[in-house]
Amino acid sequence: MPARLLKIATYNVNGIGARLPHLLAWLQREQPDIVGLQELKCSQDAFPQAAIAQAGYGAIWQGQRAWNGVALLARGQDPVESRRGLPGDPGDGQSRYIEAAIHGIVVGCLYAPNGNPQPGPKFDYKLQWMARLARHARTLVELPHPVALIGDYNVVPTDADIYDPKGWRRDALLQPQSRQAFAELLAQGWTDALRQVHGDARIYTFWDYFRQHWPRDRGLRIDHLLLNPVLAAALRDAGVDRWVRDLEKASDHAPTWVQVQAPSRTGK
DNA sequence: ATGTCCAGACGATCTGGA
């Protein structure tokens, strides 16, 4: 019997109010099984649950007025929520993490802080948040079932992940401390799925709105799917749905995805 | 400093954030 494949995707929508038509068109065409969304930029009450249910997806979300906001969508089922918010700072009111079991996989959806300008309090918050993420990730990586940590990490891991590292050298996304935080996750045993599949190929997931960067393909790779060893063994393909970035009034990010062999229902 | 887009606000343009 052929193995069933699951598509897991992450998409920073940059405002779900402005981007709902794009989101629905993408769900219809690509039929991802598991979706993490970031930058909803909507209050908890304003999330378009009815339209997403109509498209065939159950959803959980953590909204926030105007900024941040994350959601998880599950094709044909409801996510089973396991966590809302990163542990380690009860005073952190920013909506940046939500986690659930979907189709037999534990999925954490994250929107890491941008951190600009650096140095400064926003950069300090970015590094503290990444340290909290690392502490939580350590509790997930060695679990005996498949786990994915997907989202906008706001980190360009290496100079090969950006069109112009010199032009961005002072940006928070390229700082050694930011890159070290990402590298520490990989050192725990997580696999960077896009790099695993594509080796040294140029891959971008974000093209800012300035200076016609999209038409000139001047991008950054900052949306990542990290897989624990159990799930990495099931990895079959990975990619970026660039056609979504080419739509009129597009988000500055494109959906980024992996295809994995579905876990067996009996478990292991 | 620049570039562009989103959401919100005592709004018919400004601001903060990215």
Side-chain angles (χ1 to χ4, degrees), chain A residues 14 18-19 65-67 114 122 209-211 249:
Chain A
N14 188 17
R19 223 68 63 201
R65 193 184 67 162
W67 297 310
N114 174 289
K122 291 188 177 179
Y209 292 121
F210 305 148
R211 306 181 201 90
K249 306 271 293 180

Short mmCIF file of all heavy atoms in Angstrom, two decimals, chain A residues 14 18-19 65-67 114 122 209-211 249, chain B residues 1-9 16-18:
data_model
loop_
_atom_site.label_atom_id
_atom_site.label_comp_id
_atom_site.label_asym_id
_atom_site.label_seq_id
_atom_site.Cartn_x
_atom_site.Cartn_y
_atom_site.Cartn_z
N ASN A 14 0.82 38.60 6.53
CA ASN A 14 0.89 40.06 6.66
C ASN A 14 -0.51 40.69 6.61
O ASN A 14 -0.79 41.55 5.76
CB ASN A 14 1.80 40.66 5.58
CG ASN A 14 2.06 42.14 5.79
OD1 ASN A 14 1.84 42.67 6.87
ND2 ASN A 14 2.52 42.82 4.75
N ALA A 18 -6.49 41.63 4.85
CA ALA A 18 -6.11 42.02 3.49
C ALA A 18 -5.84 40.81 2.61
O ALA A 18 -5.90 40.91 1.39
CB ALA A 18 -4.88 42.93 3.52
N ARG A 19 -5.50 39.67 3.23
CA ARG A 19 -4.99 38.54 2.43
C ARG A 19 -5.93 37.35 2.34
O ARG A 19 -5.57 36.31 1.79
CB ARG A 19 -3.66 38.05 3.02
CG ARG A 19 -2.60 37.76 1.99
CD ARG A 19 -2.10 38.97 1.29
NE ARG A 19 -1.43 39.87 2.22
CZ ARG A 19 -1.25 41.16 2.00
NH1 ARG A 19 -1.66 41.71 0.90
NH2 ARG A 19 -0.66 41.91 2.90
N ARG A 65 -4.67 42.68 18.40
CA ARG A 65 -5.08 43.82 17.60
C ARG A 65 -3.88 44.43 16.88
O ARG A 65 -2.88 44.76 17.51
CB ARG A 65 -5.76 44.86 18.49
CG ARG A 65 -6.49 45.92 17.71
CD ARG A 65 -7.05 46.96 18.64
NE ARG A 65 -5.99 47.71 19.30
CZ ARG A 65 -6.16 48.89 19.89
NH1 ARG A 65 -7.36 49.41 19.95
NH2 ARG A 65 -5.17 49.52 20.45
N ALA A 66 -3.96 44.57 15.58
CA ALA A 66 -3.00 45.30 14.74
C ALA A 66 -1.68 44.58 14.47
O ALA A 66 -1.13 44.71 13.38
CB ALA A 66 -2.70 46.68 15.31
N TRP A 67 -1.17 43.82 15.46
CA TRP A 67 0.17 43.24 15.27
C TRP A 67 0.19 41.75 15.60
O TRP A 67 -0.70 41.24 16.32
CB TRP A 67 1.20 43.93 16.15
CG TRP A 67 1.35 45.36 15.82
CD1 TRP A 67 1.56 45.89 14.57
CD2 TRP A 67 1.30 46.47 16.72
NE1 TRP A 67 1.66 47.25 14.66
CE2 TRP A 67 1.50 47.64 15.95
CE3 TRP A 67 1.12 46.58 18.09
CZ2 TRP A 67 1.52 48.91 16.52
CZ3 TRP A 67 1.15 47.85 18.65
CH2 TRP A 67 1.35 48.99 17.87
N ASN A 114 11.02 40.47 15.13
CA ASN A 114 11.90 41.00 14.10
C ASN A 114 13.22 41.50 14.71
O ASN A 114 14.29 41.20 14.20
CB ASN A 114 11.16 42.12 13.36
CG ASN A 114 12.03 42.85 12.35
OD1 ASN A 114 12.93 43.59 12.71
ND2 ASN A 114 11.77 42.60 11.07
N LYS A 122 14.21 46.11 21.44
CA LYS A 122 13.54 45.14 20.55
C LYS A 122 14.47 43.98 20.20
O LYS A 122 14.02 42.84 20.07
CB LYS A 122 13.04 45.83 19.29
CG LYS A 122 11.90 46.80 19.57
CD LYS A 122 11.30 47.33 18.31
CE LYS A 122 10.11 48.23 18.64
NZ LYS A 122 9.51 48.80 17.43
N TYR A 209 8.88 44.93 0.22
CA TYR A 209 8.11 45.71 -0.76
C TYR A 209 8.93 46.82 -1.41
O TYR A 209 8.44 47.52 -2.27
CB TYR A 209 6.89 46.33 -0.07
CG TYR A 209 5.83 45.35 0.39
CD1 TYR A 209 5.46 45.26 1.72
CD2 TYR A 209 5.20 44.51 -0.53
CE1 TYR A 209 4.48 44.39 2.14
CE2 TYR A 209 4.22 43.62 -0.12
CZ TYR A 209 3.86 43.56 1.22
OH TYR A 209 2.90 42.68 1.62
N PHE A 210 10.17 47.00 -0.95
CA PHE A 210 10.97 48.12 -1.42
C PHE A 210 11.65 47.82 -2.75
O PHE A 210 12.04 46.69 -3.05
CB PHE A 210 12.06 48.47 -0.40
CG PHE A 210 11.53 48.74 0.99
CD1 PHE A 210 12.30 48.42 2.09
CD2 PHE A 210 10.28 49.29 1.19
CE1 PHE A 210 11.83 48.67 3.37
CE2 PHE A 210 9.81 49.54 2.46
CZ PHE A 210 10.58 49.23 3.56
N ARG A 211 11.83 48.86 -3.55
CA ARG A 211 12.72 48.85 -4.72
C ARG A 211 12.51 47.65 -5.64
O ARG A 211 13.46 47.08 -6.16
CB ARG A 211 14.19 48.84 -4.27
CG ARG A 211 14.58 49.96 -3.31
CD ARG A 211 16.05 49.86 -2.95
NE ARG A 211 16.39 50.54 -1.72
CZ ARG A 211 16.35 49.95 -0.52
NH1 ARG A 211 15.99 48.71 -0.38
NH2 ARG A 211 16.67 50.65 0.55
N LYS A 249 -1.22 42.67 -4.82
CA LYS A 249 -1.36 42.97 -3.40
C LYS A 249 -0.96 41.78 -2.52
O LYS A 249 -1.62 41.46 -1.53
CB LYS A 249 -2.79 43.39 -3.06
CG LYS A 249 -3.33 44.53 -3.92
CD LYS A 249 -3.06 45.91 -3.38
CE LYS A 249 -3.75 46.24 -2.11
NZ LYS A 249 -3.42 47.62 -1.67
P DA B 1 17.83 59.10 9.75
OP1 DA B 1 16.61 58.47 9.98
OP2 DA B 1 19.08 59.22 10.39
"O5'" DA B 1 18.07 59.30 8.18
"C5'" DA B 1 17.85 60.57 7.59
"C4'" DA B 1 17.59 60.37 6.12
"O4'" DA B 1 18.57 59.44 5.57
"C3'" DA B 1 16.22 59.75 5.81
"O3'" DA B 1 15.71 60.35 4.64
"C2'" DA B 1 16.52 58.28 5.61
"C1'" DA B 1 17.91 58.33 4.99
N9 DA B 1 18.68 57.12 5.29
C8 DA B 1 19.02 56.64 6.52
N7 DA B 1 19.71 55.54 6.47
C5 DA B 1 19.85 55.27 5.12
C6 DA B 1 20.47 54.24 4.40
N6 DA B 1 21.12 53.23 4.98
N1 DA B 1 20.40 54.29 3.06
C2 DA B 1 19.76 55.29 2.47
N3 DA B 1 19.14 56.32 3.05
C4 DA B 1 19.21 56.24 4.37
P DT B 2 14.20 60.12 4.17
OP1 DT B 2 13.77 61.31 3.42
OP2 DT B 2 13.44 59.62 5.33
"O5'" DT B 2 14.34 58.94 3.12
"C5'" DT B 2 15.12 59.11 1.93
"C4'" DT B 2 15.25 57.79 1.22
"O4'" DT B 2 16.08 56.91 1.99
"C3'" DT B 2 13.93 57.03 1.02
"O3'" DT B 2 13.54 57.17 -0.34
"C2'" DT B 2 14.24 55.58 1.38
"C1'" DT B 2 15.75 55.59 1.61
N1 DT B 2 16.20 54.67 2.70
C2 DT B 2 16.96 53.58 2.36
O2 DT B 2 17.28 53.34 1.21
N3 DT B 2 17.34 52.80 3.41
C4 DT B 2 17.03 53.00 4.75
O4 DT B 2 17.43 52.24 5.60
C5 DT B 2 16.22 54.16 5.02
C7 DT B 2 15.82 54.46 6.43
C6 DT B 2 15.84 54.93 4.00
P DG B 3 11.98 57.33 -0.61
OP1 DG B 3 11.91 58.26 -1.75
OP2 DG B 3 11.24 57.62 0.63
"O5'" DG B 3 11.54 55.88 -1.12
"C5'" DG B 3 12.21 55.24 -2.19
"C4'" DG B 3 12.01 53.75 -2.06
"O4'" DG B 3 12.76 53.27 -0.93
"C3'" DG B 3 10.56 53.33 -1.79
"O3'" DG B 3 9.93 52.92 -3.00
"C2'" DG B 3 10.67 52.15 -0.83
"C1'" DG B 3 12.01 52.37 -0.15
N9 DG B 3 11.89 52.92 1.20
C8 DG B 3 10.99 53.87 1.65
N7 DG B 3 11.15 54.18 2.90
C5 DG B 3 12.22 53.39 3.31
C6 DG B 3 12.86 53.27 4.59
O6 DG B 3 12.59 53.87 5.63
N1 DG B 3 13.89 52.35 4.56
C2 DG B 3 14.28 51.64 3.47
N2 DG B 3 15.30 50.80 3.63
N3 DG B 3 13.70 51.73 2.27
C4 DG B 3 12.68 52.61 2.28
P DT B 4 8.35 53.15 -3.14
OP1 DT B 4 8.07 52.86 -4.55
OP2 DT B 4 7.99 54.44 -2.52
"O5'" DT B 4 7.69 52.01 -2.25
"C5'" DT B 4 7.86 50.65 -2.62
"C4'" DT B 4 6.99 49.77 -1.75
"O4'" DT B 4 7.45 49.86 -0.38
"C3'" DT B 4 5.51 50.15 -1.71
"O3'" DT B 4 4.75 48.97 -1.82
"C2'" DT B 4 5.32 50.79 -0.34
"C1'" DT B 4 6.34 50.02 0.48
N1 DT B 4 6.85 50.72 1.69
C2 DT B 4 6.93 50.01 2.87
O2 DT B 4 6.59 48.85 2.96
N3 DT B 4 7.41 50.73 3.93
C4 DT B 4 7.82 52.04 3.94
O4 DT B 4 8.24 52.57 4.95
C5 DT B 4 7.72 52.72 2.67
C7 DT B 4 8.14 54.14 2.56
C6 DT B 4 7.24 52.03 1.62
P DC B 5 3.23 49.02 -2.37
OP1 DC B 5 3.20 48.16 -3.56
OP2 DC B 5 2.78 50.42 -2.43
"O5'" DC B 5 2.37 48.32 -1.22
"C5'" DC B 5 2.76 47.03 -0.76
"C4'" DC B 5 2.42 46.91 0.71
"O4'" DC B 5 3.24 47.81 1.48
"C3'" DC B 5 0.98 47.27 1.08
"O3'" DC B 5 0.28 46.08 1.36
"C2'" DC B 5 1.11 48.16 2.32
"C1'" DC B 5 2.57 47.99 2.71
N1 DC B 5 3.15 49.15 3.41
C2 DC B 5 3.60 49.00 4.73
O2 DC B 5 3.51 47.90 5.27
N3 DC B 5 4.13 50.07 5.38
C4 DC B 5 4.21 51.24 4.75
N4 DC B 5 4.75 52.25 5.43
C5 DC B 5 3.74 51.42 3.42
C6 DC B 5 3.23 50.37 2.79
P DC B 6 -1.33 46.17 1.66
OP1 DC B 6 -1.90 44.95 1.09
OP2 DC B 6 -1.84 47.50 1.31
"O5'" DC B 6 -1.36 46.07 3.25
"C5'" DC B 6 -0.93 44.87 3.89
"C4'" DC B 6 -1.06 45.05 5.38
"O4'" DC B 6 -0.12 46.07 5.80
"C3'" DC B 6 -2.44 45.53 5.81
"O3'" DC B 6 -3.05 44.59 6.66
"C2'" DC B 6 -2.20 46.85 6.53
"C1'" DC B 6 -0.72 46.88 6.77
N1 DC B 6 -0.15 48.24 6.62
C2 DC B 6 0.49 48.83 7.71
O2 DC B 6 0.57 48.21 8.77
N3 DC B 6 1.01 50.08 7.56
C4 DC B 6 0.90 50.71 6.40
N4 DC B 6 1.43 51.93 6.30
C5 DC B 6 0.25 50.12 5.28
C6 DC B 6 -0.27 48.89 5.43
P DA B 7 -4.61 44.78 7.03
OP1 DA B 7 -5.13 43.44 7.30
OP2 DA B 7 -5.26 45.65 6.03
"O5'" DA B 7 -4.54 45.60 8.39
"C5'" DA B 7 -3.90 45.02 9.50
"C4'" DA B 7 -3.90 45.99 10.66
"O4'" DA B 7 -3.07 47.13 10.33
"C3'" DA B 7 -5.28 46.56 11.01
"O3'" DA B 7 -5.47 46.47 12.40
"C2'" DA B 7 -5.23 48.00 10.52
"C1'" DA B 7 -3.75 48.32 10.62
N9 DA B 7 -3.30 49.32 9.66
C8 DA B 7 -3.60 49.38 8.33
N7 DA B 7 -3.04 50.39 7.71
C5 DA B 7 -2.33 51.04 8.70
C6 DA B 7 -1.52 52.19 8.69
N6 DA B 7 -1.29 52.92 7.59
N1 DA B 7 -0.95 52.56 9.85
C2 DA B 7 -1.18 51.83 10.94
N3 DA B 7 -1.92 50.74 11.08
C4 DA B 7 -2.47 50.39 9.91
P DG B 8 -6.87 46.92 13.05
OP1 DG B 8 -7.08 46.03 14.20
OP2 DG B 8 -7.87 47.03 11.99
"O5'" DG B 8 -6.55 48.38 13.59
"C5'" DG B 8 -5.49 48.54 14.52
"C4'" DG B 8 -5.37 49.98 14.92
"O4'" DG B 8 -4.76 50.74 13.85
"C3'" DG B 8 -6.69 50.68 15.23
"O3'" DG B 8 -6.53 51.46 16.40
"C2'" DG B 8 -6.95 51.52 14.01
"C1'" DG B 8 -5.53 51.89 13.60
N9 DG B 8 -5.37 52.25 12.20
C8 DG B 8 -5.92 51.63 11.11
N7 DG B 8 -5.58 52.19 9.98
C5 DG B 8 -4.74 53.23 10.36
C6 DG B 8 -4.07 54.20 9.57
O6 DG B 8 -4.07 54.31 8.34
N1 DG B 8 -3.33 55.08 10.35
C2 DG B 8 -3.26 55.04 11.72
N2 DG B 8 -2.51 55.97 12.30
N3 DG B 8 -3.89 54.15 12.47
C4 DG B 8 -4.61 53.28 11.72
P DA B 9 -7.82 52.04 17.17
OP1 DA B 9 -7.67 51.58 18.55
OP2 DA B 9 -9.05 51.72 16.42
"O5'" DA B 9 -7.58 53.61 17.10
"C5'" DA B 9 -6.32 54.14 17.48
"C4'" DA B 9 -6.19 55.56 16.98
"O4'" DA B 9 -5.97 55.55 15.55
"C3'" DA B 9 -7.43 56.42 17.21
"O3'" DA B 9 -7.04 57.72 17.63
"C2'" DA B 9 -8.08 56.46 15.82
"C1'" DA B 9 -6.84 56.47 14.95
N9 DA B 9 -7.07 56.07 13.57
C8 DA B 9 -7.82 55.04 13.11
N7 DA B 9 -7.84 54.91 11.80
C5 DA B 9 -7.03 55.95 11.37
C6 DA B 9 -6.64 56.37 10.09
N6 DA B 9 -7.03 55.77 8.96
N1 DA B 9 -5.82 57.44 10.00
C2 DA B 9 -5.44 58.04 11.13
N3 DA B 9 -5.74 57.74 12.39
C4 DA B 9 -6.54 56.67 12.44
P DG B 16 5.36 57.18 15.73
OP1 DG B 16 5.77 57.69 17.05
OP2 DG B 16 6.21 57.39 14.53
"O5'" DG B 16 5.08 55.62 15.85
"C5'" DG B 16 4.05 55.14 16.71
"C4'" DG B 16 3.88 53.66 16.51
"O4'" DG B 16 3.30 53.41 15.20
"C3'" DG B 16 5.18 52.86 16.56
"O3'" DG B 16 4.94 51.66 17.26
"C2'" DG B 16 5.50 52.61 15.08
"C1'" DG B 16 4.11 52.50 14.48
N9 DG B 16 4.02 52.86 13.07
C8 DG B 16 4.60 53.93 12.45
N7 DG B 16 4.32 54.01 11.16
C5 DG B 16 3.53 52.90 10.93
C6 DG B 16 2.93 52.44 9.73
O6 DG B 16 2.98 52.93 8.60
N1 DG B 16 2.20 51.27 9.94
C2 DG B 16 2.06 50.64 11.14
N2 DG B 16 1.33 49.53 11.14
N3 DG B 16 2.62 51.06 12.27
C4 DG B 16 3.33 52.19 12.09
P DG B 17 6.20 50.69 17.65
OP1 DG B 17 5.84 50.04 18.90
OP2 DG B 17 7.46 51.45 17.52
"O5'" DG B 17 6.20 49.59 16.49
"C5'" DG B 17 5.08 48.73 16.37
"C4'" DG B 17 5.26 47.87 15.16
"O4'" DG B 17 5.01 48.65 13.97
"C3'" DG B 17 6.67 47.27 14.99
"O3'" DG B 17 6.57 45.86 15.00
"C2'" DG B 17 7.16 47.82 13.65
"C1'" DG B 17 5.85 48.18 12.94
N9 DG B 17 5.99 49.23 11.94
C8 DG B 17 6.66 50.42 12.09
N7 DG B 17 6.61 51.16 11.01
C5 DG B 17 5.87 50.41 10.10
C6 DG B 17 5.48 50.68 8.76
O6 DG B 17 5.73 51.69 8.10
N1 DG B 17 4.74 49.66 8.20
C2 DG B 17 4.41 48.50 8.86
N2 DG B 17 3.68 47.62 8.17
N3 DG B 17 4.75 48.22 10.11
C4 DG B 17 5.48 49.22 10.67
P DA B 18 7.88 44.93 14.93
OP1 DA B 18 7.56 43.69 15.64
OP2 DA B 18 9.07 45.71 15.31
"O5'" DA B 18 7.97 44.61 13.38
"C5'" DA B 18 6.84 44.06 12.73
"C4'" DA B 18 7.08 44.02 11.24
"O4'" DA B 18 7.03 45.37 10.70
"C3'" DA B 18 8.43 43.44 10.82
"O3'" DA B 18 8.23 42.42 9.86
"C2'" DA B 18 9.16 44.62 10.19
"C1'" DA B 18 8.00 45.45 9.67
N9 DA B 18 8.36 46.84 9.43
C8 DA B 18 9.08 47.69 10.22
N7 DA B 18 9.23 48.88 9.70
C5 DA B 18 8.57 48.81 8.49
C6 DA B 18 8.36 49.74 7.45
N6 DA B 18 8.83 50.99 7.48
N1 DA B 18 7.65 49.34 6.38
C2 DA B 18 7.19 48.09 6.35
N3 DA B 18 7.32 47.12 7.25
C4 DA B 18 8.03 47.55 8.31
#
